């Protein structure tokens, strides 16, 4: 028991109990995102924000999500809409470049407000015009969400809400989402590495969270393959709406304090 506690203590600058909780959350949230297409990443980053230094939350979360989405992509690569992905990749590069060099940004509360409002519109508003879900719209979405995710870490919800409009097939959407998010989180390694963040201090915790996340991803995909497209759409809408309400509350708190 003492050896286990010592091992957990050595995973990161946090205590062993907190490290164990984060590893468990990685398992649960990876399963959640794989089974229902959304929700796990936002739940994980909200939990990490409660126990980790603010400067470490987004970069560590990004690397853990790179592992989770990368493993999901590896298990679903045959279902990816590669034509759509090819249109999104230039946007990801543009968004990453903007995030690397931009010195002035909107107040964080305003960013959360924009994300939440967009997600609610995508879930409950009218269908997007064909131009918005075309290749040009996909490029813009890739740039916008990559940029936003470098500051608030929750822009994956916008990607999921947008991809809801490109295909009725749940596996295509989850697989394409995984590919897009893998590339977005990979860009964070360069963005925060360039900014001087020391990933080594968190390396073992990230490795443990990625390892158990693979198990959660594998189990979640078993659930995904059994649910119908209609049930998947319903659950995704509910989860996105709940996340939007949470983001609106966070935005309200931050904007009031400004």
């Amino acid at each position: 028991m003492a050896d286990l506690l010592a091992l957990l203590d050595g995973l990161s600058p946090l205590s062993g109990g907190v490290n164990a909780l984060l590893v468990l959350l990685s398992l649960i949230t990876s399963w959640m995102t794989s089974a229902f297409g959304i929700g796990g990443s936002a739940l994980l980053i909200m939990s990490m924000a409660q126990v980790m230094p603010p400067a470490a939350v987004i970069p560590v979360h990004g690397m853990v999500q790179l592992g989770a989405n990368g493993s999901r992509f590896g298990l679903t690569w045959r279902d990816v809409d590669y034509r759509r992905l090819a249109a999104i990749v230039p946007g990801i590069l543009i968004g990453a470049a903007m995030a690397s060099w931009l010195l002035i940004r909107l107040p964080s509360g305003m960013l959360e407000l924009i994300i939440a409002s967009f997600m609610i519109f995508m879930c409950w508003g009218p269908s997007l015009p064909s131009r918005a879900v075309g290749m040009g719209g996909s490029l813009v979405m890739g740039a916008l969400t990559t940029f936003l995710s470098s500051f608030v870490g929750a822009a994956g919800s916008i990607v999921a809400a947008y991809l809801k409009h490109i295909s009725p097939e749940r596996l295509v959407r989850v697989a394409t989402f995984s590919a897009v998010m893998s590339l977005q989180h990979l860009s964070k390694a360069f963005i925060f590495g360039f900014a001087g963040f020391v990933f080594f201090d968190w390396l073992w915790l990230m490795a443990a969270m990625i390892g158990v996340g693979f198990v959660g991803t594998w189990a979640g995909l078993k659930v995904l393959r059994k649910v119908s497209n209609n049930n998947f759409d319903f659950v995704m809408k509910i989860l996105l709406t709940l996340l939007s309400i949470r983001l609106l509350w966070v935005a309200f708190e931050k904007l009031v304090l400004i």
Side-chain angles (χ1 to χ4, degrees):
M1 187 65 179
D3 291 339
L4 177 60
L5 291 176
L7 177 63
L8 291 171
D9 281 331
L11 289 179
S12 80
L14 305 174
S15 69
V18 173
N19 288 332
L21 177 61
L22 290 175
V23 171
L24 178 61
L25 277 172
S26 180
L27 174 68
I28 295 170
T29 55
S30 294
W31 177 87
M32 183 177 179
T33 300
S34 295
F36 304 119
I38 192 63
S41 177
L43 176 60
L44 183 61
I45 196 171
M46 286 190 292
S47 302
M48 293 171 73
Q50 307 303 312
V51 297
M52 292 179 65
V57 173
I58 293 179
V60 172
H61 174 265
M63 295 306 96
V64 173
Q65 289 303 298
L66 172 60
N69 284 285
S71 63
R72 194 179 308 114
F73 167 70
L75 294 171
T76 61
W77 64 270
R78 292 181 180 85
D79 297 298
V80 173
D81 183 341
Y82 286 100
R83 184 167 172 265
R84 179 78 53 176
L85 182 63
I88 294 173
V89 167
I92 292 175
L93 296 176
I94 293 170
M98 290 169 57
S100 297
W101 295 102
L102 193 66
L103 299 178
I104 301 174
R105 62 183 188 269
L106 291 172
S108 59
M110 186 61 68
L111 290 173
E112 276 94 349
L113 179 61
I114 292 171
I115 292 173
S117 300
F118 184 85
M119 286 163 56
I120 291 174
F121 174 80
M122 296 293 278
C123 283
W124 303 105
S127 297
L128 295 178
S130 57
R131 181 177 296 180
V133 294
M135 297 303 119
S138 296
L139 186 150
V140 172
M141 184 276 296
L144 175 66
T145 55
T146 301
F147 171 76
L148 289 176
S149 69
S150 299
F151 298 112
V152 298
S157 301
I158 293 181
V159 178
Y162 179 84
L163 294 179
K164 186 175 74 71
H165 293 262
I166 71 165
S167 173
E169 292 297 326
R170 64 198 184 283
L171 285 170
V172 171
R173 283 150 52 184
V174 169
T176 306
F177 174 82
S178 300
V180 172
M181 296 311 298
S182 294
L183 293 173
Q184 284 197 354
H185 290 302
L186 180 61
S187 74
K188 288 184 183 180
F190 294 98
I191 292 170
F192 286 99
F194 180 80
F197 181 75
V198 182
F199 284 100
F200 183 78
D201 293 344
W202 304 89
L203 183 62
W204 291 111
L205 176 61
M206 291 188 295
M209 293 177 73
I210 290 170
V212 301
F214 177 81
V215 178
T217 295
W218 176 82
L221 288 175
K222 293 288 186 181
V223 176
L224 176 67
R225 296 182 190 280
K226 293 179 180 179
V227 301
S228 68
N229 287 329
N230 287 338
N231 288 337
F232 178 81
D233 279 345
F234 175 76
V235 173
M236 175 175 275
K237 275 189 174 183
I238 296 302
L239 289 175
L240 284 169
T241 302
L242 291 174
L243 289 174
S244 299
I245 293 171
R246 166 63 183 170
L247 281 175
L248 288 173
W249 180 258
V250 171
F252 174 77
E253 289 183 321
K254 291 184 177 181
L255 290 171
V256 166
L257 293 176
I258 291 177

